[in-house]
Amino acid sequence: AFLLIGVVLHFTYQAVVELRHDYTDEIVDQNGVVSFEITVDRDMVKPIWVFYELSGFHQNHRLYVDSRDDSQLMSPDYARSQKPQACHPKIETAGRGTDYPCGLVASTVFNDTFHVAHESPDGSFSRLEVDSSAPSIAWTGDLK
């Protein structure tokens, strides 16, 4: 049984095409956009998964997880009546007062987008559709 599982895993892994590109130091254009090319040297079959890796971002760190005020989220009256200390260190924005919702989680925004294109032998590019809807980008267990 273990040999069979090992053979299946081996052939499954052989079909994986993994490419990495760190674009931290890429040049950003006047619109704040970074463009780069990755050459794929093997054919890829559907579905094609694009994974994104962040380093130095610890969403399970206790300070990050605890930086929110559940009472503020449950009651608009509570939110207006007092400063939510549980949101430390991100409670207020200078000149705007108390953040609603407050906390590190609420102030974390991920806004990178990806466009995938195929280059034809004649040098022209055709854009490939990327389905980024919730059922497509998350594992089934994460959607529940």
Side-chain angles (χ1 to χ4, degrees):
F2 290 111
L3 179 61
L4 179 62
I5 292 171
V7 170
V8 169
L9 288 175
H10 174 73
F11 284 108
T12 301
Y13 179 75
Q14 293 298 93
V16 171
V17 178
E18 182 175 333
L19 304 164
R20 291 177 172 254
H21 181 80
D22 182 352
Y23 59 92
T24 303
D25 298 322
E26 294 280 349
I27 297 171
V28 180
D29 72 9
Q30 67 273 10
N31 298 316
V33 175
V34 171
S35 296
F36 57 88
E37 293 182 16
I38 296 177
T39 302
V40 180
D41 58 356
R42 296 184 355 201
D43 286 340
M44 298 171 73
V45 295
K46 293 181 181 179
I48 296 172
W49 298 88
V50 176
F51 290 92
Y52 191 84
E53 181 180 333
L54 299 172
S55 59
F57 178 70
H58 306 287
Q59 67 188 27
N60 61 344
H61 190 279
R62 186 175 191 92
L63 175 63
Y64 183 81
V65 172
D66 289 345
S67 179
R68 70 172 197 274
D69 191 332
D70 294 334
S71 299
Q72 183 197 40
L73 298 174
M74 288 189 262
S75 169
D77 295 329
Y78 174 85
R80 286 189 284 271
S81 67
Q82 45 191 301
K83 190 180 291 187
Q85 296 303 316
C87 291
H88 179 77
K90 184 77 174 97
I91 299 172
E92 297 179 311
T93 300
R96 290 186 13 210
T98 302
D99 293 336
Y100 185 82
C102 64
L104 292 173
V105 175
S107 65
T108 303
V109 178
F110 176 79
N111 65 353
D112 286 5
T113 56
F114 301 92
H115 300 284
V116 180
H118 175 264
E119 184 177 11
S120 300
D122 65 2
S124 64
F125 287 90
S126 59
R127 187 169 170 181
L128 303 174
E129 290 299 316
V130 176
D131 181 6
S132 58
S133 62
S136 174
I137 65 170
W139 297 109
T140 305
D142 293 337
L143 293 173
K144 295 177 181 177

